[in-house]
């Protein structure tokens, strides 16, 4: 019989899931529940080879109700892929923040849950729903292993010289204030694939990974180990994102609070949800809309794309210096995989660094491909990410051990 793993990713108002049969890593079903805890909950569920998505609309007051409906859907005669919950052998949970406690995935026990809770302060938007998802799944499937896979884990190889901020040292000692980095599961997945595509041993590979989605981060990776990454103590630092500002002069936080009369929660919201590409363009947080507006002549949309691209270029240069050279840069996530024009803009005029894109090869979406010019010293790889597969594999390995 197959070994089915359920992968669960609970956000503040969403539940994403996939069911894998680990004997051949097939995805049996996947889905997304939106507006959990808000009126208008919608579950979009798709079975392997399913031609159409199943939509179930039924208000869910919290994550535990939501998870229950997901499990009912997975086992239902009409939409299901398994007969009985007993066919799920383990559950893998995405957890955003593991601070410096976890450098890899772990079997969830009371101690692990306590640590996830201890990190509520540093990840108030993410860790509470992550833990709710774990509790709900453990309640409904008490007899199987549950595994936590942390977004921060892969970045734990960073050295203090790269993760410390120039703030009084007590802040680090008392509150663990340092760079952590996020999207680690994605950076890890594309790193492995990049080494394979470059046909090099991971130990001898220097790459720069660009996870450009709604949230966006880059990492400098030497021999499979993260040297530095653009997100910091929280996922607000670094690149320009859909609604997050990324790097700004820290004094501006004080300035904005004073001028707009905002309290800490409000300024947090302002920088995380109203800034970034949305705030600068005034068009949308979605780069498809911004690109369309830019093409139609909207100057703020054009400016937003330029600011976005310049920030990415800035980090490519910085990471080239930190790595002392580089074999490949990797584009992944929503924009990285699909935004042809933005990839081209990022790679433009980087010939001095040995980065030359082939504009014809670059006309590709969602496939693993090297889009560099034949004489580019640095390869330019497009690699669709697969965080769920990494979670499923870790869960399988840890559950079998
Ligand atoms: P998340 O961080 O929410 O997982 P994704 O990795 O799915 O996000 O990325 C979603 C974003 O990718 C969209 O908001 C959009 O900005 C961008 N995107 C997707 N396809 C394109 C495209 N063809 N052109 C430009 N941007 C795109």
């Amino acid at each position: 019989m197959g070994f089915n793993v359920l992968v669960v990713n609970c956000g503040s108002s969403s539940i994403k899931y996939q069911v894998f049969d680990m004997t051949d890593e097939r995805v049996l079903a996947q889905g997304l529940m939106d507006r959990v805890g808000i009126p208008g909950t919608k579950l979009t569920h798709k079975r392997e080879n399913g031609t159409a998505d199943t939509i179930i609309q039924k208000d869910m007051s919290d994550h535990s109700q939501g998870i229950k409906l997901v499990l009912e859907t997975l086992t239902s005669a009409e939409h299901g892929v398994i007969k009985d919950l007993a066919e799920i052998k383990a559950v893998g949970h995405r957890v955003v923040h593991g601070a410096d406690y976890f450098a890899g995935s772990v079997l969830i026990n009371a101690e692990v849950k306590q640590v996830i809770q201890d990190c509520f302060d540093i990840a108030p938007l993410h860790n509470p729903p992550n833990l709710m998802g774990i509790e709900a799944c453990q309640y409904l499937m008490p007899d199987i292993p549950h595994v936590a896979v942390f977004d921060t884990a892969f970045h734990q190889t960073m050295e203090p010289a790269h993760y410390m901020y120039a703030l009084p040292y007590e802040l680090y000692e008392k509150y663990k204030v340092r760079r952590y980095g996020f999207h680690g599961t994605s950076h890890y997945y594309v790193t492995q694939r990049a080494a394979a595509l470059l046909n090099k041993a991971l130990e001898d590979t220097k790459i720069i990974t660009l996870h450009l989605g709604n949230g966006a981060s880059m990492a400098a990776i030497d021999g499979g180990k993260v040297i530095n990454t653009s997100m910091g103590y929280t996922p607000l630092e670094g690149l320009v994102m859909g609604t997050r500002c990324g790097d700004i002069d820290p004094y501006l936080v004080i300035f904005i609070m004073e001028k707009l009369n905002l309290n800490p929660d409000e300024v947090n919201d302002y920088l995380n949800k109203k800034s970034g590409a949305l705030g600068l363009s005034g068009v949308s947080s979605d780069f498809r809309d911004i690109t369309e507006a830019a093409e139609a002549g909207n100057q703020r949309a054009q400016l937003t794309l330029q600011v976005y691209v310049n920030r990415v270029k800035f980090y490519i240069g910085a990471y080239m210096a930190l790595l002392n050279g580089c074999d490949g840069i990797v584009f992944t996530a929503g924009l990285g995989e699909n935004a042809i024009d933005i990839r081209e803009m990022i790679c433009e005029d980087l010939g001095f660094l040995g980065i030359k894109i082939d504009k014809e090869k670059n006309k590709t979406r969602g496939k693993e491909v090297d889009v560099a010019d034949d004489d580019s010293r640095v390869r330019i790889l497009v690699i669709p990410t697969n965080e769920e597969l990494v979670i499923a594999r870790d869960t399988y390995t840890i559950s079998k051990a």
Side-chain angles (χ1 to χ4, degrees):
M1 200 172 100
F3 192 107
N4 296 333
V5 169
L6 170 66
V7 173
V8 176
N9 177 359
C10 284
S12 54
S13 63
S14 69
I15 300 172
K16 286 190 203 151
Y17 60 91
Q18 287 196 13
V19 181
F20 286 85
D21 179 346
M22 292 312 289
T23 45
D24 52 6
E25 297 187 336
R26 249 177 336 132
V27 177
L28 303 180
Q30 56 186 304
L32 165 67
M33 186 181 283
D34 266 319
R35 301 182 68 89
V36 179
I38 312 171
T41 314
K42 186 172 95 183
L43 170 64
T44 311
H45 170 81
K46 196 180 176 107
R47 287 191 281 190
E48 187 189 22
N49 309 324
T51 45
D53 293 347
T54 304
I55 312 262
I56 302 172
Q57 266 162 323
K58 201 172 175 187
D59 283 356
M60 296 288 129
S61 61
D62 57 25
H63 285 76
S64 94
Q65 261 201 10
I67 296 275
K68 194 157 171 277
L69 179 66
V70 167
L71 298 180
E72 280 164 15
T73 308
L74 289 172
T75 49
S76 80
E78 203 180 341
H79 312 298
V81 288
I82 49 175
K83 286 202 193 65
D84 194 296
L85 264 195
E87 289 178 41
I88 293 176
K89 302 295 180 202
V91 185
H93 298 268
R94 178 196 181 199
V95 181
V96 167
H97 221 311
D100 55 358
Y101 297 101
F102 304 106
S105 305
V106 286
L107 191 67
I108 298 173
N109 56 22
E111 208 178 314
V112 170
K113 284 201 281 187
Q114 185 57 52
V115 175
I116 296 172
Q117 192 165 354
D118 290 346
C119 295
F120 278 11
D121 261 2
I122 28 181
L125 300 179
H126 295 103
N127 274 34
N130 294 160
L131 187 59
M132 276 194 268
I134 292 171
E135 301 275 8
C137 288
Q138 282 187 323
Y139 179 74
L140 294 162
M141 294 170 284
D143 300 322
I144 57 172
H146 292 255
V147 170
V149 180
F150 297 90
D151 263 37
T152 43
F154 183 51
H155 299 299
Q156 279 296 304
T157 50
M158 264 187 296
E159 299 278 351
H162 288 283
Y163 68 63
M164 287 303 291
Y165 292 115
L167 287 164
Y169 199 77
E170 309 84 91
L171 272 188
Y172 171 65
E173 291 177 313
K174 267 197 194 155
Y175 302 113
K176 290 180 179 284
V177 170
R178 50 160 282 187
R179 175 182 309 286
Y180 289 104
F182 300 86
H183 296 136
T185 316
S186 174
H187 289 291
Y188 168 80
Y189 176 80
V190 300
T191 298
Q192 306 292 316
R193 291 302 309 146
L197 292 174
L198 293 168
N199 211 3
K200 288 185 82 143
L202 186 60
E203 301 72 55
D204 305 326
T205 313
K206 290 182 182 191
I207 55 166
I208 299 173
T209 49
L210 290 75
H211 177 107
L212 309 178
N214 245 325
S217 68
M218 290 176 53
I221 300 169
D222 190 349
K225 293 197 166 68
V226 176
I227 302 300
N228 205 324
T229 186
S230 60
M231 281 179 168
Y233 181 67
T234 74
L236 185 56
E237 193 181 343
L239 302 176
V240 176
M241 303 176 222
T243 60
R244 288 175 230 160
C245 58
D247 299 336
I248 54 168
D249 180 339
Y251 176 72
L252 283 172
V253 181
I254 301 155
F255 180 86
I256 293 166
M257 288 177 83
E258 277 177 5
K259 293 288 177 201
L260 305 190
N261 197 16
L262 303 182
N263 66 31
D265 277 349
E266 289 164 344
V267 77
N268 185 36
D269 205 60
Y270 193 79
L271 299 175
N272 270 290
K273 298 192 183 150
K274 302 199 175 106
S275 301
L278 172 68
L280 184 53
S281 71
V283 172
S284 162
S285 64
D286 193 308
F287 280 86
R288 284 163 290 205
D289 302 337
I290 297 170
T291 308
E292 209 179 287
E295 278 163 7
N298 180 320
Q299 290 188 352
R300 258 171 71 186
Q302 291 166 357
L303 176 68
T304 303
L305 290 179
Q306 283 156 4
V307 172
Y308 182 86
V309 164
N310 282 338
R311 189 84 55 92
V312 175
K313 278 175 179 275
F314 177 91
Y315 273 95
I316 291 177
Y319 287 172
M320 281 277 199
L322 288 182
L323 290 170
N324 190 19
C326 157
D327 302 304
I329 66 172
V330 182
F331 284 94
T332 193
L335 271 110
E337 293 165 28
N338 300 299
I340 295 167
D341 296 348
I342 296 177
R343 279 200 304 256
E344 194 179 309
M345 286 168 76
I346 290 170
C347 295
E348 212 169 295
D349 294 331
L350 294 183
F352 179 76
L353 296 179
I355 298 172
K356 267 168 85 180
I357 198 163
D358 180 321
K359 292 183 182 172
E360 279 311 306
K361 286 189 198 155
N362 185 43
K363 288 183 182 146
T364 179
R365 287 203 165 98
K367 277 200 304 261
E368 275 189 359
V369 45
D370 180 351
V371 299
D373 196 272
D374 288 342
D375 66 359
S376 178
R377 240 184 310 126
V378 175
R379 308 318 302 166
I380 306 170
L381 306 172
V382 176
I383 303 181
T385 195
N386 198 342
E387 293 156 284
E388 292 78 12
L389 181 60
V390 175
I391 298 175
R393 282 180 179 161
D394 277 11
T395 303
Y396 180 62
T397 311
I398 289 173
S399 306
K400 296 284 264 185

